[in-house]
Amino acid sequence: MRQLEEAGIIRGYRALIDPAAVGRSLRVFAGVRLMRHTRADVIAFERGITGLSEVVACHHITGNFDYLLQVEVADLPAYEDFHANQLAALPAVATVTSYVTMKTLSAGPS
């Protein structure tokens, strides 16, 4: 293990938190499209998104969206508030398409 760590193959360790135990039982995947793709707009969006605690993961992707977010909140009203007052208010956001998770089949080791 030490050799793998020293070689940079193992980059770190983390704890897996049960989202429901911390009041985040609703998981939503949100596809975000930006209005413009100037470097300044991308930087502004990325700075803004990293400051939102509800966003568990943010991936810059190719395809129909520019970013795919994993968002965890308490419930649907909490997501509606997050969507309207935080996510849609970020710089250069054109559209957000939300996919509410009904069941997660695998969330890592138990």
Side-chain angles (χ1 to χ4, degrees), residues 8-32:
I9 295 169
I10 296 177
R11 298 186 330 191
Y13 300 92
R14 58 182 96 170
L16 296 175
I17 305 296
D18 177 4
V22 293
R24 293 180 163 213
S25 55
L26 182 69
R27 178 177 291 141
V28 178
F29 291 93
V32 177

Side-chain angles (χ1 to χ4, degrees), residues 24 48-57 70-73 82 86:
R24 293 180 163 213
I49 204 71
T50 58
L52 301 178
S53 64
E54 295 87 350
V55 178
V56 175
Q70 179 180 335
V71 178
E72 292 179 355
V73 292
F82 169 78
Q86 295 182 68

Side-chain angles (χ1 to χ4, degrees), residues 4-67:
L4 295 173
E5 291 169 350
E6 290 171 357
I9 295 169
I10 296 177
R11 298 186 330 191
Y13 300 92
R14 58 182 96 170
L16 296 175
I17 305 296
D18 177 4
V22 293
R24 293 180 163 213
S25 55
L26 182 69
R27 178 177 291 141
V28 178
F29 291 93
V32 177
R33 284 191 191 127
L34 301 183
M35 285 184 248
R36 299 168 304 275
H37 296 93
T38 67
R39 192 70 193 137
D41 286 332
V42 168
I43 289 169
F45 173 79
E46 290 180 357
R47 281 189 183 142
I49 204 71
T50 58
L52 301 178
S53 64
E54 295 87 350
V55 178
V56 175
C58 175
H59 304 277
H60 193 190
I61 61 172
T62 64
N64 291 329
F65 305 109
D66 298 310
Y67 292 89

